[in-house]
Amino acid sequence: VMDIERIKPGEWNSRAVGVENLVFLSGIVADDKSLPMKGQTEQVLAKIDGFLAEAGTDKTRLLSAAVYLADLSRKDEMNEAWVAWLDKADLPARAAVGVELTPGTLVEIMVCATR
């Protein structure tokens, strides 16, 4: 039987779930909705760093990422923050798609990592 670790469980989800050497993060959004796309992305990535650390891993161990954008035409702004955040040696598999998000939310990112 595998133990499942639930990190920061809330009303409808856990911020992260760990099982054996895998960690799955929920979709993470910025707290400050007044920020532009790049600023929201930077805030999301900083929050991801924190949740990964709490789960015993870090961004160098990312396996995959799903990036949800409220406006796909602003993908380059998101990518500026993404490229600055990750080392080219540690790039995960990634998809970026345009979706309808909660009002004010420009980007939501969900990742899976190993530890």
Side-chain angles (χ1 to χ4, degrees):
V1 175
M2 291 183 268
D3 289 329
I4 298 173
E5 174 189 11
R6 299 186 193 284
I7 298 168
K8 296 219 189 286
E11 192 174 330
W12 62 82
N13 69 358
S14 294
R15 288 295 186 190
V17 175
V19 61
E20 293 189 348
N21 67 332
L22 293 177
V23 176
F24 302 88
L25 266 61
S26 290
I28 307 299
V29 299
D31 294 323
D32 185 351
K33 305 298 190 246
S34 70
L35 292 172
M37 176 67 79
K38 184 177 178 185
Q40 283 196 27
T41 304
E42 289 167 343
Q43 195 171 83
V44 167
L45 297 173
K47 288 173 71 174
I48 287 172
D49 280 334
F51 293 128
L52 289 174
E54 196 167 338
T57 190
D58 63 55
K59 65 187 175 186
T60 68
R61 309 283 294 158
L62 287 180
L63 300 174
S64 65
V67 179
Y68 304 99
L69 301 166
D71 181 353
L72 198 54
S73 73
R74 297 176 70 185
K75 182 178 176 183
D76 288 345
E77 296 170 54
M78 176 277 299
N79 272 331
E80 285 180 42
W82 180 267
V83 169
W85 180 65
L86 278 176
D87 186 307
K88 288 223 185 268
D90 301 312
L91 297 174
R94 190 192 88 175
V97 296
V99 298
E100 185 174 335
L101 295 171
T102 305
T105 297
L106 301 179
V107 61
E108 180 170 343
I109 301 176
M110 186 174 187
V111 300
C112 175
T114 187
R115 51 182 169 183

